[in-house]
Amino acid sequence: MDFIITSLQSWDIEIGSTIKNTAMEISKKNRVLYINTPSSFTHWLRTPKKKTEVRVNDNLHIVYCNLPALPVNSMPFKWLFNIANYCNNYILARTIKKAIRNHQVKEYVHLIDTDIYRSRYLKQLLHPALSIYYRRDYIIGVDYWRRYGPACEQALVRQADIVITNSSYFTEELKPLNPNIYTTNTGVNLSLYDGNILHDIPADLEDIPSPRIGYTGAIIERRLDADLLYAVAQKLPQYNFVFVGPEDDFFAQHPLHTLKNTYFTGHREVAELPAYIQHFDVCLNPQKVNPITEGNYPLKIDEYLAIGKPVVATSTHTMREVFAEYTHLATDVDSYLYAIQKALGETEDAELKNARIAFAQTHSWAHSVEKIYKAIDIYKTTSKK
């Protein structure tokens, strides 16, 4: 099969990405055209040299749409938004049709990854053999998407041949709109996050003594509980808290930076993260509990576990359903304090480490993508009847 992927996420994103890993895995057996759109009009203006296409491997091609989308979210009326958004879809469809001709694509699967605006009308404009909508984040819970996003996503879910999600929480929410829905969860790059590989300690960790309580990933207000972290770090001054990843403005200005036992490394390449994780004593995922995080599948938990590390995380639906047996779940400052200290007592437990690694290895990208293939096979079989 050929796959065409349109995503809200740029291929050039600096942090780890579920859809990029999914595309890479699909490309092991199928040709994939990943349509890369400018992240914003400003980003487009600042990019002097416009790419047209980049080949990642023999089967995976990144196709660049070099016309930015109109800023439709600021439209004051729904009818005006719909017209402008259709124009954006039409522009994107032209790029895709050109790529289809260039690569001599016949029949293909169109996978829409949470791209609820720019892919809203692509099924009508492109007529793919099969249309899949993939919800892996609750983006309509973000302020930017709240006005027009819900209607667009509902339309995409209703018209899709198949809907996939990365958590049962999302599946139950969307099932009334489309019964052909499947939970795939996500995977972990087991060749990168390998608990049996020994890494040298990163230079910026060498002067930070253990115990190190660490986090890797984007450090953003709508997902992480900064006030909880501040209280926990204050109450555990003998522990050092290390945050590896890019910060938003809120975190960059938060009093967390004033504490003597907190350290922020800034952005690090994905390939560097296993070394940081390996040299943490305990790994954290201190999420806020809100509509954005409650049903989200936290990829970093699999990454932590694949290295064999004790994990303390906020108790969300997915954490309770998928990871409860292999992590310590907390809900407030006191339970975080207890969980971190209990997790520290497990750092030398080889049996627990091996159990974590074995569990994470059941969440490979191959396993996740195989569920997509199975959903396609079921649809093809039932649609012929």
Side-chain angles (χ1 to χ4, degrees):
M1 294 179 288
D2 286 334
F3 281 75
I4 291 177
I5 298 177
T6 54
S7 176
L8 190 63
Q9 198 162 72
S10 168
W11 184 264
D12 306 312
I13 190 170
E14 294 181 332
I15 61 175
S17 164
T18 293
I19 192 58
K20 286 177 63 174
N21 283 304
T22 300
M24 291 288 290
E25 186 62 38
I26 292 174
S27 74
K28 292 179 179 179
K29 295 182 179 179
N30 308 280
R31 183 167 54 169
V32 178
L33 304 183
Y34 190 102
I35 312 302
N36 202 63
T37 53
S39 58
S40 67
F41 192 82
T42 303
H43 178 265
W44 176 78
L45 286 174
R46 291 176 178 174
T47 306
K49 186 178 180 181
K50 305 297 189 291
K51 301 175 184 176
T52 56
E53 186 170 314
V54 173
R55 189 176 76 168
V56 178
N57 59 45
D58 288 344
N59 274 343
L60 178 56
H61 304 262
I62 313 305
V63 178
Y64 286 80
C65 177
N66 284 320
L67 287 175
L70 298 171
V72 296
N73 207 55
S74 59
M75 299 296 175
F77 306 109
K78 186 177 180 180
W79 64 267
L80 189 58
F81 164 84
N82 288 336
I83 291 172
N85 194 43
Y86 186 88
C87 290
N88 284 339
N89 279 240
Y90 184 81
I91 291 169
L92 186 56
R94 287 182 62 185
T95 296
I96 296 172
K97 287 178 179 178
K98 182 179 179 180
I100 287 172
R101 291 193 300 270
N102 290 343
H103 290 273
Q104 299 180 337
V105 175
K106 302 301 181 183
E107 292 189 349
Y108 61 90
V109 176
H110 180 202
L111 176 59
I112 300 170
D113 170 52
T114 61
D115 190 22
I116 58 178
Y117 282 2
R118 296 173 303 200
S119 297
R120 163 67 180 86
Y121 301 103
L122 289 185
K123 185 175 183 180
Q124 297 92 315
L125 290 166
L126 297 174
H127 306 289
L130 191 67
S131 176
I132 301 177
Y133 176 68
Y134 183 17
R135 189 213 259 183
R136 59 182 177 83
D137 273 316
Y138 189 75
I139 63 168
I140 57 175
V142 179
D143 288 343
Y144 177 86
W145 304 99
R146 282 178 180 162
R147 186 172 188 182
Y148 297 118
C152 286
E153 185 180 48
Q154 286 182 23
L156 280 168
V157 172
R158 291 180 188 277
Q159 73 184 22
D161 300 307
I162 297 170
V163 177
I164 58 176
T165 76
N166 65 359
S167 77
S168 62
Y169 186 91
F170 291 156
T171 296
E172 291 305 311
E173 181 185 346
L174 298 180
K175 196 170 186 177
L177 301 177
N178 191 325
N180 293 325
I181 188 167
Y182 302 87
T183 305
T184 63
N185 293 329
T186 53
V188 58
N189 184 342
L190 294 173
S191 62
L192 178 62
Y193 295 92
D194 185 341
N196 296 313
I197 296 176
L198 297 179
H199 298 274
D200 292 334
I201 186 169
D204 50 1
L205 286 190
E206 286 184 323
D207 294 330
I208 303 175
S210 289
R212 304 183 194 97
I213 316 300
Y215 169 89
T216 61
I219 304 167
I220 52 180
E221 178 190 8
R222 67 174 177 267
R223 289 188 180 274
L224 301 187
D225 194 331
D227 293 339
L228 178 143
L229 285 169
Y230 183 79
V232 169
Q234 271 192 317
K235 290 178 179 292
L236 297 174
Q238 71 277 31
Y239 300 162
N240 291 302
F241 293 79
V242 183
F243 302 91
V244 181
E247 297 176 80
D248 65 8
D249 291 340
F250 175 84
F251 264 92
Q253 300 170 17
H254 195 274
L256 265 169
H257 282 269
T258 67
L259 299 179
K260 293 181 179 180
N261 63 332
T262 58
Y263 302 84
F264 292 79
T265 71
H267 168 72
R268 291 293 181 269
E269 297 297 328
V270 172
E272 299 177 85
L273 299 183
Y276 282 92
I277 294 171
Q278 189 171 83
H279 290 279
F280 292 155
D281 296 289
V282 172
C283 293
L284 289 182
N285 193 31
Q287 291 187 303
K288 287 182 176 178
V289 178
N290 56 37
I292 297 171
T293 62
E294 182 64 38
N296 185 55
Y297 187 102
L299 173 60
K300 70 180 79 281
I301 301 299
D302 276 325
E303 294 168 351
Y304 294 159
L305 294 176
I307 302 293
K309 288 297 170 177
V311 176
V312 176
T314 299
S315 178
T316 62
H317 179 276
T318 303
M319 289 303 305
R320 293 189 297 272
E321 181 181 70
V322 180
F323 297 105
E325 186 178 348
Y326 299 93
T327 61
H328 299 278
L329 302 185
T331 57
D332 55 20
V333 173
D334 288 340
S335 55
Y336 256 93
L337 296 173
Y338 175 78
I340 288 172
Q341 292 176 83
K342 185 175 182 182
L344 274 172
E346 300 172 352
T347 54
E348 302 301 323
D349 192 319
E351 184 176 345
L352 284 177
K353 177 182 177 179
N354 291 334
R356 296 184 200 107
I357 293 173
F359 175 72
Q361 288 176 344
T362 67
H363 290 175
S364 68
W365 286 111
H367 185 253
S368 176
V369 168
E370 193 59 41
K371 291 183 180 180
I372 299 176
Y373 294 154
K374 185 176 180 180
I376 292 172
D377 289 340
I378 292 171
Y379 179 82
K380 287 181 175 179
T381 301
T382 56
S383 63
K384 290 178 181 178
K385 293 180 180 179

